[in-house]
Amino acid sequence: MKVILPVAGTGTRLRPFTLSLPKCLLPIAGNTLIDHIIASYSALSVSEQIFITGYKGELVEDFIRQRDFKNARSVRQRNPQGLGEAISLCLPYLTDDEPVLIILGDTLFDADLSFLEMEKENVLMTRKVEDPRRFGVAVTDATGHITKLVEKPQTYVSNEALVGIYYIQDVAELRASLEKLIREDIRTRNEYQLTDALQMMVESGCKFRTASIRSWLDCGTAETFLKTNAKILSEMETQDTSRFERSQIIQPCHIADSAVIRNSVVGPNVSVGPEVVIENSRVADTVISERTLLIDSEISHSIFGGDSEVKGFKGSLLLGDHSKVISGVL
């Protein structure tokens, strides 16, 4: 199968952290967000990965080169007009006899996707939510097959929210629906929606069923980003932290091998990037990017961009790259 990863978003709700990085490359629990997503389908036989880039796309392309993928390409979405338009850009690289797995590149999840290796139907992964008005939802019949897809319904039709994982066996029908969507300028909220193309497929007789994920980890805001970081850390193996001088590490944490920690208390729920230096400080519930210096501070519920410096500060911060906070003055 082929995997499509739309990673063109700007991540505006995470600014200034995303001013210099696309959201998919943000560090979380010792890796980038997109690395965690790629790991989720590592058990599948994938012939090609197609990254749809946009904002800071050159950095995603650098990431692809650095990872030395043997089966990856990037497609640039230069004038974003919705997810349907983004997926349509990949059509030249798809074949009608090979299934496609589409995974949105800005949300993490806990799901076993190995069953897709033998799957014969189209599958949309879902999770039941309390407020379906924020999501695309699937309406199903008694057999679990989808009868209707609705984008952000304002009146209740279903609480099975689409989580951004779409497995398509009927690639020819997907192609036809996306081409019709754009040819006839069919838009919802002024965008070409993938949900609308999938609904066309349902109406044309394509069989879709739903499958549930175990959990859905939001990374859209600083608050949810930090909660997701904590959740992933809690499921990772505990590192040996005996090397840190006169310091206490409260698990769960992930600390890069090249980080230096002296006379500090770090944790819980802290991710520390490469070449970070923490001295005479306390830090909890925080993500610290590479080459950041944290001295004489008490930090919690914070996100630090790379190459930053914080001295003598007590509280919470959301910093972009190359930021400096000295004695509480930005």
Side-chain angles (χ1 to χ4, degrees):
M1 79 181 66
K2 295 195 176 186
V3 176
I4 298 176
L5 298 161
V7 292
T10 58
T12 54
R13 292 182 297 166
L14 280 169
R15 288 180 178 173
F17 202 37
T18 51
L19 288 176
S20 56
L21 279 177
K23 183 177 174 181
C24 69
L25 294 184
L26 295 183
I28 186 167
N31 229 323
T32 68
L33 195 155
I34 194 65
D35 276 314
H36 288 291
I37 293 174
I38 291 170
S40 72
Y41 58 82
S42 60
L44 301 177
S45 300
V46 175
S47 65
E48 185 174 35
Q49 301 170 101
I50 305 174
F51 294 78
I52 304 173
T53 66
Y55 175 70
K56 302 288 183 182
E58 67 282 359
L59 297 181
V60 180
E61 289 152 13
D62 286 344
F63 163 85
I64 295 170
R65 285 191 289 270
Q66 290 166 9
R67 290 296 188 274
D68 196 27
F69 293 126
K70 304 302 182 186
N71 60 343
R73 74 168 72 237
S74 63
V75 176
R76 188 70 66 95
Q77 188 182 23
R78 300 188 181 279
N79 180 28
Q81 298 181 69
L83 183 57
E85 186 251 350
I87 302 303
S88 74
L89 299 175
C90 302
L91 293 178
Y93 312 108
L94 306 183
T95 58
D96 294 348
D97 59 353
E98 183 177 18
V100 176
L101 176 62
I102 302 167
I103 304 180
L104 301 191
D106 62 358
T107 300
L108 298 182
F109 55 89
D110 180 12
D112 181 2
L113 301 181
S114 60
F115 75 95
L116 296 176
E117 199 72 49
M118 304 299 293
E119 183 60 47
K120 301 302 182 184
E121 290 187 314
N122 304 297
V123 179
L124 305 185
M125 306 296 286
T126 62
R127 183 167 176 80
K128 291 185 178 180
V129 296
E130 292 184 2
D131 184 5
R133 293 174 298 178
R134 298 170 48 216
F135 308 97
V137 300
V139 181
T140 58
D141 60 20
T143 69
H145 286 90
I146 296 172
T147 59
K148 189 176 183 180
L149 296 168
V150 183
E151 183 69 26
K152 296 181 181 178
Q154 295 309 296
T155 58
Y156 181 87
V157 293
S158 169
N159 66 347
E160 280 200 77
L162 305 178
V163 300
I165 307 172
Y166 315 85
Y167 177 76
I168 307 298
Q169 276 277 346
D170 298 325
V171 177
E173 287 76 7
L174 174 67
R175 183 190 307 277
S177 294
L178 287 171
E179 290 175 346
K180 179 179 180 179
L181 200 72
I182 293 171
R183 182 177 65 252
E184 299 183 9
D185 198 30
I186 300 171
R187 299 173 184 251
T188 300
R189 285 180 295 281
N190 203 36
E191 290 188 334
Y192 299 112
Q193 302 286 353
L194 177 60
T195 307
D196 290 339
L198 298 176
Q199 176 62 28
M200 290 180 192
M201 294 175 64
V202 171
E203 293 172 356
S204 70
C206 294
K207 287 287 189 180
F208 282 83
R209 70 177 184 90
T210 62
S212 297
I213 63 172
R214 288 187 286 262
S215 64
W216 195 2
L217 307 176
D218 187 13
C219 300
T221 67
E223 180 182 6
T224 59
F225 188 88
L226 290 172
K227 286 181 179 178
T228 294
N229 178 65
K231 170 68 172 174
I232 298 173
L233 288 175
S234 71
E235 298 171 352
M236 296 172 62
E237 292 185 7
T238 301
Q239 294 175 290
D240 178 9
T241 58
S242 59
R243 71 184 187 278
F244 299 119
E245 301 174 19
R246 300 180 303 280
S247 296
Q248 180 184 7
I249 309 300
I250 304 173
Q251 300 293 344
C253 291
H254 182 277
I255 302 172
D257 291 342
S258 57
V260 175
I261 300 175
R262 303 187 185 100
N263 194 34
S264 296
V265 178
V266 175
N269 306 322
V270 176
S271 294
V272 180
E275 300 179 56
V276 167
V277 176
I278 301 174
E279 291 186 350
N280 304 317
S281 297
R282 299 179 67 95
V283 55
D285 298 295
T286 293
V287 174
I288 305 176
S289 299
E290 69 278 0
R291 296 181 301 278
T292 288
L293 182 64
L294 178 62
I295 306 293
D296 299 327
S297 297
E298 293 186 26
I299 300 295
S300 66
H301 297 92
S302 298
I303 305 176
F304 293 172
D307 299 287
S308 296
E309 183 178 352
V310 177
K311 292 184 178 180
F313 184 87
K314 182 177 182 178
S316 299
L317 292 167
L318 183 61
L319 300 179
D321 288 356
H322 307 287
S323 298
K324 182 177 288 190
V325 177
I326 306 295
S327 299
V329 179
L330 186 63

